[in-house]
DNA sequence: ATGAAAGCGCTAACAG
DNA sequence: CTGTTAGCGCTTTCAT
C-alpha cells in the first residue's frame, strides 16, 4: 500500500527508470543492478501500482470478458480456458457478467473501456439488441470479440462451437438407433446456437426423409419441463433431441412425471454435457462442448488481434464431442455408432 | 478510448474541475452547468479513465474477491450477493480465483493490493498456510475479510454459515427418523467448515447417546465415492450425513453401485443444497446455505469496515436452512420434523 | 460556484 | 547501461 518506485530508487541510489526496467524484466539493466533491485523490492514487499502503470503505458495487460451470467459452469470453464492462455502471455482477465440484462451488459462494456482493457470478449445476452453498442466500441478503436453466440450478421471476430455439426451428430445417433419420430426441443431462437442446433437437426432429418417435430422451449429446466409437456400433449414421439442440457433435465423430469420411461418410452439427448448430466435420474447422453479449448482459442485469437496479426474478420469454429449415456437407449438397442 | 475531461472542458468553456465534479455528482456545480456537462459527455460517449481516477484518488471503488475456484456455483452465488450490495454503493467487484493453489492465491492477493482495491474478501484454499500473507496485507493497511472458511485463529473479520448448527440439524433429522447407526462422511478437516460440521454431528449424537462413526473423505464426487465405499466396508450403517453435496452425490453413486437402495437400505443427507441436488438419481435431502445472504452480509461488513465504522474483529454467522427430499427417507418413515 | 496548481506512481522517449 | 524530462487523465487542495 505504500512503497513506490521512487523510494526503491532512492534507497538503492539509482533512478526510478532503472528500477522500473529491472522489475519489468525490460532490457537495459545490468544483471547485477537488476538482481539488487529485485531483491530489495521483494524485501520491502513492493507492488507496482497497476493503476499508475496502466495510465502511463496507456493500456492495461488485461482482457475483459463479459458473460451473460454466473449461473452456468459452461461460461466459467470457458473463462478458465481464457485465463490459462492469457496468463502465459502476462495478461490478466477481468470477468464481468450482465445477469442476463442487456442494459447492464452495455454498462459493463463501457466500464471495461474505461479500464482500458486490451480487448473485450463478449458472450452477449442480447447479440442483436446490443450490436450497436459493440459497433460503437469498435468505432472507438476497441478490440471486440464474440464467443458462443453472435448476432444476425457477424461484425467482429469470434470463437464458436460447431453447433450445427453437434446437433446433426446427436440426431444421427437417434436415427441410427432406430427412432423415427424424433422431435426437437429448441432453445430461444434469438440466440445463434439455438438456431444452429435446430438447423443441424432439420438437415439431418431431411437427409433421412423424416418429419421434423419442433417445439420451442427456451432455456432452463423450467422451460424444458414445460416444453416437454407441451410436446407430449401434441405429438407422439420416440425420441427428443433437446437444445440445452438444463432444458433436457427439465424435459426428463416431465417425461418421468407423465409416467413415461426414459429411454424405453422416449429417448433423450441433450447438448452441453453440463456437470450433473452424468448424475441425473437417467444419465444424459449429450453433445460435449470443448469448453476449455474454446477458451484457449478465444484468448489466442484475442492476443493475435491485439498484436495486429490476425484478420479482424476471423471466425473460429471448434468441433464438438459426443457422450453416450443411458438416456438415448443405446445400451438397450445394442448399437453405439 | 479517446475523449478526456479536458476536451470536454474546452468544448464547453469550463474547467476540467467543473466537468469532473458534474460527472461525479459532486457538489459545487450549478444545476445548469451540470446538466450541460452531462449531456455533452453522453453525446460524445465519454468514459472516465478508471486507471487515472484510481491513481488520483489513491483508491478504487472496488472490492476484490478471491475464491478458491470457479467450479462450484456456491462461490459464484456468494459473489453475486456481494455484487448486489456493492453496486448499490457504487462499488465494483474484481473476481479472482486461485484454482485451489495457495501460491496462486498469494499472488492474487498482492495483485489486488496492486490495484489498490478498497478491501480484499477471501475464501482461502489454504487458510492456515496463507495466514501469514493475510497478516502481511493487514500490516500494509489493507482491509481483509474472510468468508466461508477461516484459519485456526481468526485474524480478520469474516462472514460464515452456521456449519455447526446446520450439521446438528441434519443429524437431528436422521435421529428423529429412527436411524441409530448414523455415520458421517467428513470433508477435508483442514477447512473450518468440515471441522464445524463434524463437530455439530458429534454433539448431536452425544446428546442422544449414539456412537459416532466418522469417515474422512475430503471434497468432491470422487472422494465421496471412495469414502462411502470405505465406510460400507468397515461398518454397518443406517444413514450417512455427508459433509458436502458433491461428496454426497459420489456417496450416493457408491451406495447404489453396491446394490444398496437409498434411502431404504441407507439414508443420505448432504450439505450445501447445490444446484443438481434436486435432480440426482435420488433427490438429495440437504442443508441449505444462504448463499446470497452470505454475500450480502459480506459486502455490507466490508463497506462498514472501509468506512471505519465496524469493529475489525466482527464475525457474522448466518443460520442455515434445511431441504427435505427423498434421500433421507422421511417420505417413507412418515415424519417430517 | 468555479478555477489554477500540483501531483498520484508509473513508463515512453530521448539523452548521455 | 543509466538517467532526465515529460506527461498519462484524473482528483485534491486551495484560491477566487
Amino acid at each position: 500500500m505504500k512503497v513506490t518506485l521512487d523510494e526503491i530508487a532512492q534507497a538503492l541510489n539509482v533512478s526510478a527508470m532503472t528500477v522500473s526496467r529491472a522489475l519489468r524484466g525490460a532490457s537495459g539493466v545490468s544483471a547485477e543492478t537488476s538482481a539488487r533491485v529485485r531483491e530489495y523490492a521483494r524485501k520491502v514487499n513492493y507492488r507496482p501500482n497497476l493503476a499508475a502503470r496502466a495510465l502511463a503505458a496507456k493500456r492495461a495487460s488485461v482482457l475483459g470478458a463479459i458473460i451473460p451470467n454466473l449461473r452456468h459452469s459452461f461460461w466459467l470453464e470457458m473463462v478458465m480456458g481464457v485465463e490459462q492462455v492469457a496468463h502465459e502471455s502476462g495478461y490478466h482477465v477481468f470477468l464481468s457478467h450482465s445477469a442476463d440484462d442487456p442494459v447492464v451488459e452495455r454498462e459493463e462494456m463501457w466500464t471495461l473501456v474505461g479500464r482500458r482493457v486490451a480487448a473485450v470478449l463478449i458472450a452477449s445476452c442480447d447479440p442483436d439488441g446490443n450490436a450497436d453498442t459493440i459497433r460503437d466500441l469498435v468505432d472507438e478503436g476497441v478490440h471486440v470479440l464474440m464467443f458462443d453466440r453472435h448476432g444476425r450478421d457477424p461484425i467482429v471476430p469470434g470463437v464458436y462451437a460447431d453447433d450445427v455439426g453437434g446437433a446433426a451428430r446427436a440426431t444421427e445417433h437417434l436415427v441410427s438407433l432406430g427412432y423415427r419420430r424424433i422431435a426437437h426441443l429448441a432453445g430461444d431462437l434469438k440466440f445463434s446456437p439455438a438456431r444452429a442446433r435446430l438447423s443441424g437437426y432439420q438437415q439431418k432429418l431431411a437427409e433421412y426423409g423424416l418429419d421434423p417435430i419442433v417445439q420451442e422451449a427456451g432455456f432452463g429446466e423450467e422451460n424444458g419441463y414445460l416444453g416437454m409437456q407441451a410436446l407430449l400433449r401434441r405429438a407422439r414421439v420416440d425420441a427428443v433431441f433437446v437444445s440445452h442440457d438444463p432444458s433436457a433435465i427439465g424435459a426428463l423430469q416431465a417425461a418421468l412425471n407423465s409416467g413415461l420411461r426414459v429411454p424405453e418410452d422416449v429417448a433423450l439427448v441433450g447438448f452441453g454435457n453440463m456437470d450433473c448430466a452424468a448424475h441425473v435420474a437417467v444419465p444424459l447422453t449429450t453433445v460435449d462442448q470443448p469448453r476449455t479449448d474454446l477458451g484457449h482459442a478465444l484468448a489466442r485469437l484475442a492476443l493475435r488481434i491485439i498484436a495486429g496479426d490476425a484478420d479482424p474478420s476471423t471466425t473460429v469454429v471448434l468441433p464438438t464431442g459426443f457422450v453416450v449415456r443411458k438416456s438415448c437407449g443405446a445400451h438397450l438397442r445394442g448399437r453405439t455408432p
Side-chain angles (χ1 to χ4, degrees), chain A:
Chain A
M1 210 77 165
K2 298 280 159 48
V3 36
T4 68
L5 268 193
D6 277 309
E7 288 167 22
I8 298 185
Q10 287 184 7
L12 262 37
N13 267 315
V14 293
S15 75
M17 224 22 243
T18 301
V19 178
S20 170
R21 286 196 263 252
L23 259 21
R24 276 178 300 148
S27 67
V29 198
S30 73
E32 193 208 1
T33 311
S34 179
R36 264 177 64 222
V37 169
R38 299 169 98 102
E39 188 193 314
Y40 185 79
R42 220 177 22 72
K43 197 181 105 198
V44 298
N45 244 321
Y46 169 75
R47 281 282 129 178
N49 182 325
L50 267 13
R53 175 176 286 180
L55 183 59
K58 291 184 169 169
R59 60 193 193 77
S61 290
V62 171
L63 262 26
I66 301 177
I67 56 182
N69 57 65
L70 255 27
R71 259 174 247 291
H72 241 47
S73 64
F74 171 77
W75 304 117
L76 297 155
E77 288 185 48
M78 275 210 61
V79 170
M80 288 170 66
V82 171
E83 284 177 336
Q84 286 168 13
V85 171
H87 289 167
E88 285 169 14
S89 302
Y91 276 73
H92 259 76
V93 176
F94 281 169
L95 178 59
S96 343
H97 71 104
S98 61
D100 292 308
D101 182 336
V103 179
V104 173
E105 183 171 285
R106 265 174 260 150
E107 207 43 57
E108 290 296 337
M109 284 195 259
W110 286 116
T111 299
L112 288 176
V113 174
R115 295 196 192 289
R116 302 299 188 265
V117 298
V120 173
L121 321 178
I122 180 168
S124 177
C125 65
D126 190 3
D128 288 302
N130 278 351
D132 285 343
T133 302
I134 291 174
R135 239 177 245 109
D136 288 345
L137 294 206
V138 173
D139 290 346
E140 301 252 8
V142 181
H143 296 301
V144 182
L145 295 92
M146 300 187 82
F147 61 99
D148 184 70
R149 40 181 76 180
H150 52 72
R152 293 283 169 179
D153 37 56
I155 46 183
V156 293
V159 174
Y160 311 93
D162 179 12
D163 291 298
V164 176
R169 169 98 182 256
T171 309
E172 169 102 48
H173 178 73
L174 290 170
V175 172
S176 81
L177 289 175
Y179 301 108
R180 286 300 170 264
R181 303 169 152 285
I182 303 172
H184 177 50
L185 268 188
D188 186 337
L189 295 176
K190 115 177 169 200
F191 295 105
S192 54
R195 294 196 296 268
R197 292 170 197 180
L198 169 59
S199 158
Y201 158 83
Q202 288 171 326
Q203 284 173 30
K204 190 51 73 173
L205 280 202
E207 206 174 282
Y208 284 98
L210 298 172
D211 289 329
I213 310 169
V214 176
Q215 173 77 37
E216 238 194 280
F219 278 131
E221 267 169 52
E222 182 67 14
N223 288 325
Y225 191 95
L226 265 24
M228 187 68 169
Q229 282 190 324
L231 176 63
L232 293 174
R233 225 178 286 126
R234 63 170 253 241
R236 204 157 55 74
V237 300
D238 280 331
V240 184
F241 163 51
V242 188
S243 191
H244 299 89
D245 276 0
S247 318
I249 288 169
L252 170 62
Q253 210 61 254
L256 297 177
N257 286 358
S258 331
L260 260 31
R261 290 167 307 163
V262 176
E264 291 84 349
D265 300 321
V266 57
L268 241 41
V269 173
F271 201 117
N273 194 21
M274 67 182 279
D275 292 342
C276 71
H279 302 289
V280 292
V282 181
L284 198 65
T285 293
T286 185
V287 178
D288 183 58
Q289 288 175 293
R291 291 160 272 213
T292 307
D293 291 342
L294 285 166
H296 290 171
L298 179 58
R300 271 195 291 267
L301 181 55
L303 260 14
R304 284 178 46 217
I305 288 199
I306 292 167
D309 53 49
D311 187 316
S313 69
T314 311
T315 289
V316 176
V317 175
L318 261 42
T320 56
F322 194 65
V323 183
V324 178
R325 299 202 183 90
K326 302 272 170 109
S327 70
C328 62
H331 63 299
L332 300 176
R333 303 188 168 221
R335 282 196 255 173
T336 31

